[in-house]
Structures are given as C-alpha cells and as structure tokens.
C-alpha cells in the first residue's frame, strides 16, 4: 500500500478558534529566526534552501519539544523536482508494479501527471518530493508568494516524516479500521501555523494558498480540550491513549469516542456530501466537550481565587 501525503498549505481559515497562548514557541523561535534570516538573505539555490528549511524545522522542534523525534527514523530523502514529470517519476521510484491502483509504472506516472500536487511525502521510503512547477504556476516564479509556499510546503511535508501516528487505527473489539488523516493533517496545519508565525513572520504574510480549514478547526478545538502539550506529544509519539483518557475524563464513553473516529474517517474517505455531514457532526461533538472543559477551567480558576 502506498502512503503519500498530499501537501496542505497554511492560510488562516475563517473559523472559530479558541485563544492560543504559546509563549514557549516564541521563546524557542528566537535562535531559529536568526539562522533563517542568514539562509534567506543568502544566494543559496532553491534546493539548498529547501534542505535548510527541513534542518531548521527539525532543530526548532527539538528545541521546543525538548526531545529529538527524528532519532531512530530513517533519514529523510529530499527531492526537488523542477517539473511535474520529474515529480511523478520520483514518486514511482522504488515500487514494483503492478500495484492495486496502477497496472504499470507508466500508468502510475500518467495518473500522477493528470493530478499534480505541490509536494508529496512517501512514508514507505521516507521521501519528500517537492514539485516546483505546480508552485510556480500558481504563484509565479521568483515572487514572495512562491517563496512562502515553498517554505510552508516543505514544513508541512517534513512534519509528516516526524508524525508518530499511522494513517489508520484499529478500533477494538470489532477490529474496524479508521483513517485518521484528518487528525494528522489538522495537527500539521496547527504546527505549521505556529512555525510560520514564529519563525517566518514576513513570509507568513505572503501566503496565498488554500488550506484544510475544516481539519484545522476541529483540531484547534481538540487542542483546547486536551491541552497543547497532550495533543502534540500524542502526535509525535503516536499514542492516542492520552487523547482517549482525557475525553473519557470529560464524560465521553468508549462508544462515543469511537464514533468520533468513525466521523473522522468519513471526513477523509466519504463523498463531498458525507464529508460535510461528518464535519458538522464531529464539530458538534467537540463543541460539547469544549464547553465542558471551559466550565472545568472556570471552576478551577474560581477555586484558586478563594
């Protein structure tokens, strides 16, 4: 089975977002910002800049999280394709055909060229492939918007490399499998927002790309419910237990939590109509949990003042 993530590019979506105060991110970003200024004021090639963005992203996260989550993983292979054809050929590299959805390498490449992406991350080979042709067609070569898109694309895809979650989870006791790409992409978008705002503030203002606003909205609510550290640690360590325990602490039972993941699965795999319905239902579940957490925090604050 091929797992290639499709890039998400950050843009502030018009959705409800609880207030987020993360001074630790800003503090850890100071040294990174200085290094980034040096890189982007230089005459490095686009390939060298992309490699530097990955290095700076990993260094920043190591500093911020206090742990090196890239340790023990296969080295990330970074390929910068100048054309969509080069990108598609790089995506095909390493696979033995036929595959489930492609009868031959030629068929696989033809299909990708027909649906080009700005970038892909292939988990099977720890391979990040940037498609400059698509980015430049959308934003124009040499523009600020192009540079911002390259930065955001690179950050997003490199985060996929560090993510500890598998794309699918199995819910016991019936053994159903659910796609949690909505959760992974939502957290990627959350982290991308923080990294862009903190480390690339000027470039962040130039971003003109669209984003998965639904996933971002859901995960931002989940962040408030669980707490930033619980959500982010769970993401990097690939451990959903802490997420489930917190939701149970708020009064959700096992069946209700599983239903959340079923709705998330529909958000990824369903038709457009099913996706919209799943988004509304999942948002409603999280809204109720969010209100419970707000009341708990307010009660704790009240007790603290006595």
């Amino acid at each position: 089975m091929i797992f290639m993530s499709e890039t998400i590019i950050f843009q502030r979506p018009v959705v409800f977002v609880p207030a987020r105060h993360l001074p630790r991110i800003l503090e850890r970003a100071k040294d990174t910002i200085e290094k980034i200024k040096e890189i982007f004021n230089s005459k490095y090639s686009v390939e060298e800049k992309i490699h530097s963005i990955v290095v700076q992203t990993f260094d920043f996260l190591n500093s911020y999280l206090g742990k090196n989550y890239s340790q023990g993983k296969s080295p990330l292979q970074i390929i910068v394709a100048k054309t969509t054809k080069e990108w598609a050929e790089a995506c095909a590299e390493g696979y033995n055909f036929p595959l489930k959805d492609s009868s031959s390498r030629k068929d696989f490449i033809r299909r990708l060229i027909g649906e080009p992406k700005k970038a892909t991350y292939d988990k099977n080979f720890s391979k990040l492939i940037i498609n400059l042709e698509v980015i430049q067609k959308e934003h124009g070569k040499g523009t600020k918007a192009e540079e911002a898109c390259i930065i955001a694309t690179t950050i997003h895809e490199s985060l996929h490399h560090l993510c500890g979650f598998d794309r699918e989870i199995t819910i016991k006791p019936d053994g159903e499998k659910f796609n949690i790409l909505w959760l992974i992409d939502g957290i990627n978008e959350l982290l991308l927002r923080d990294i862009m705002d903190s480390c690339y503030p000027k470039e962040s203002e130039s971003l003109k790309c669209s984003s998965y606003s639904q996933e971002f909205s859901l995960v931002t609510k989940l962040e408030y419910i669980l707490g930033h550290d619980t959500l982010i640690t769970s993401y990097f360590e690939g451990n959903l237990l802490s997420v489930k325990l917190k939701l149970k602490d708020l009064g959700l039972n096992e069946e209700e939590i599983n239903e959340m993941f079923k709705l998330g699965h529909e958000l990824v795999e369903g038709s457009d109509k099913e996706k919209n319905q799943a988004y509304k239902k999942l948002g409603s579940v999280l809204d109720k949990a969010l209100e419970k957490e707000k009341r708990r925090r307010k009660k704790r604050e009240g007790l603290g003042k006595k």
Side-chain angles (χ1 to χ4, degrees), residues 46-227:
V46 65
E47 290 84 2
E48 290 171 322
K49 287 182 179 180
I50 287 170
H51 278 77
S52 295
I53 292 164
V54 172
V55 171
Q56 296 305 329
T57 298
F58 287 8
D59 285 351
F60 168 73
L61 288 170
N62 292 345
S63 174
Y64 170 61
L65 298 166
K67 186 173 181 179
N68 184 357
Y69 283 100
S70 61
Q71 194 169 13
K73 290 183 178 288
S74 300
L76 178 62
Q77 182 184 0
I78 304 168
I79 300 169
V80 182
K82 290 183 172 61
T83 67
T84 293
K85 185 174 183 292
E86 287 180 10
W87 163 78
E89 289 173 345
C91 289
E93 193 67 34
Y95 286 101
N96 295 317
F97 295 89
L99 298 173
K100 184 179 179 180
D101 56 356
S102 301
S103 60
S104 65
R105 183 175 184 273
K106 187 176 180 180
D107 178 51
F108 180 80
I109 290 172
R110 187 189 302 114
R111 182 169 57 82
L112 290 186
I113 290 175
E115 300 176 353
K117 304 289 187 292
K118 293 175 183 176
T120 47
Y121 171 71
D122 188 336
K123 187 176 181 179
N124 292 322
F125 298 104
S126 297
K127 186 166 58 178
L128 161 59
I129 312 167
I130 304 290
N131 186 349
L132 291 179
E133 182 179 342
V134 172
I135 294 173
Q136 290 167 353
K137 276 185 177 179
E138 183 169 328
H139 300 294
K141 189 174 182 179
T143 64
K144 289 182 179 180
E146 181 212 5
E147 184 171 75
C149 181
I150 288 172
I151 294 169
T153 300
T154 303
I155 293 172
H156 176 82
E157 297 302 337
S158 61
L159 286 171
H160 273 294
H161 182 63
L162 297 180
C163 177
F165 290 138
D166 290 326
R167 185 173 180 174
E168 288 186 335
I169 59 170
T170 302
I171 300 294
K172 296 179 180 179
D174 52 10
E176 282 188 88
K177 291 185 181 294
F178 297 121
N179 191 322
I180 60 166
L181 193 56
W182 67 275
L183 179 62
I184 296 170
D185 281 335
I187 296 174
N188 274 12
E189 186 74 6
L190 194 74
L191 288 167
L192 174 57
R193 172 180 183 144
D194 291 333
I195 294 170
M196 287 295 290
D197 282 353
S198 303
C199 301
Y200 303 86
K202 290 183 180 179
E203 290 79 4
S204 180
E205 293 175 0
S206 299
L207 274 173
K208 296 180 180 179
C209 308
S210 60
S211 66
Y212 288 133
S213 60
Q214 291 184 339
E215 288 84 347
F216 176 76
S217 175
L218 294 171
V219 166
T220 308
K221 291 175 183 180
L222 195 58
E223 179 196 35
Y224 186 93
I225 294 164
L226 302 174

